[in-house]
Each structure stands twice: as structure tokens, then as C-alpha cells.
Amino acid sequence: MPRVKHREADIDLMARMMRAEAEGEGKQGMLYVGNVIVNRAVADCLDFQDVRTIEDVIYQVQGGNYSFEAVQKGNLFYQRARSTEKRLAKQNLDYWRQHPAKFALWYFNPYAPCPPTWYGQPFTGQFKNHCFYEPAAETCESVYYG
């Protein structure tokens, strides 16, 4: 059973976002970004109570901006998804989870060392330029089960 119910269009959309956000970090980096996308669809807490589909996650607006910068600024996001990224997206949607993004709901590239917390959420690890953060203890149990 997949982690998130999805259609072919969701695989395509997620693949485009994974590439736009982490192409420079290779397949592993794209898988970590995909992990965060799926975790947000699964999480029923914090900023993610009203997002249940991949499309909801990708186009979520918070504080007047899209959650993923690539939606409004990313040329790669608006290019056709390639088969490599589609396979990675399908892998995330079906089963793939790995540290440091295993339970992460956030990531960013600080262009400096990763801070120990980000908006009060604990740092779980770094892969190349991206720092990953999971929910603080007892604030989002659903991300651990989905």
C-alpha cells in the first residue's frame, strides 16, 4: 500500500518539484526532498492539517508565499518531468523514507552551517546543502506513522 494515494499526475508534479529543488544534489538529494513532500501530505498537524494530496502540498501557500520557492521562481519546475525523477517520486510515494528526512517536514539551504533549530523545530541532519528538520517532540505524532 502506498504511503500516499496518488495518480500519474501527482507523480509528474512531485518529480518536477524534486528536480527543481534538488537536482544539484543528485538522486539522493531529490529523494530527501520527495520524502518531505510525502511527509507533509501524511502529517495531520502544525502547518499541514489541511493538505492531504501531493497537489495540496506543492501549491500550499503560507504567509502569502508558496511553501516551495520553485513554484513561483523555478524554471525547472515548469519543465517536463524526466523518467528518472518520476521513478524517484514513485519510490517516495510508495515506500521510501530515510534519515535525515525520514520524519522531516521542513528543509532549507542556509548557505551557512545548519542551525540547531529552525522556527523551533529540531535539526535532524544535512545532505549536501540542505538542512532537514522534523517536528518537535509530541507536536506531530502522525508524521511518524504515515
Side-chain angles (χ1 to χ4, degrees):
M1 188 162 102
R3 291 191 62 217
V4 173
K5 184 178 174 182
H6 58 276
R7 306 165 294 143
E8 197 64 35
D10 297 317
I11 295 170
D12 184 78
L13 181 63
M14 188 164 147
R16 291 176 19 228
M17 183 56 70
M18 291 165 65
R19 178 179 176 199
E21 290 283 317
E23 181 180 43
E25 298 189 356
K27 292 177 183 177
Q28 191 75 16
M30 288 188 277
L31 280 167
Y32 289 139
V33 166
N35 213 157
V36 169
I37 293 168
V38 172
N39 287 347
R40 288 181 179 189
V42 170
D44 189 19
C45 60
L46 304 167
D47 296 330
F48 311 106
Q49 290 177 336
D50 297 324
V51 294
R52 289 292 155 264
T53 68
I54 297 305
E55 187 173 355
D56 289 345
V57 172
I58 300 293
Y59 293 112
Q60 183 183 26
V61 175
Q62 295 177 308
N65 294 307
Y66 287 103
S67 295
F68 293 97
E69 194 174 87
V71 173
Q72 59 197 47
K73 296 181 182 176
N75 293 335
L76 283 179
F77 178 66
Y78 292 99
Q79 293 180 11
R80 177 190 286 184
R82 299 181 299 194
S83 60
T84 301
E85 287 89 25
K86 285 182 180 183
R87 279 193 302 278
L88 295 174
K90 179 89 168 101
Q91 203 173 330
N92 277 126
L93 288 161
D94 286 345
Y95 64 88
W96 195 89
R97 295 174 94 169
Q98 189 173 337
H99 180 78
K102 186 171 186 176
F103 305 116
L105 291 175
W106 305 274
Y107 66 88
F108 81 111
N109 179 348
Y111 302 102
C114 298
T117 61
W118 193 53
Y119 293 101
Q121 308 303 326
F123 173 67
T124 57
Q126 180 174 357
F127 183 76
K128 296 191 178 181
N129 294 323
H130 282 118
C131 305
F132 293 87
Y133 297 83
E134 68 181 53
E138 300 180 18
T139 62
C140 188
E141 296 303 312
S142 58
V143 78
Y144 300 103
Y145 304 118

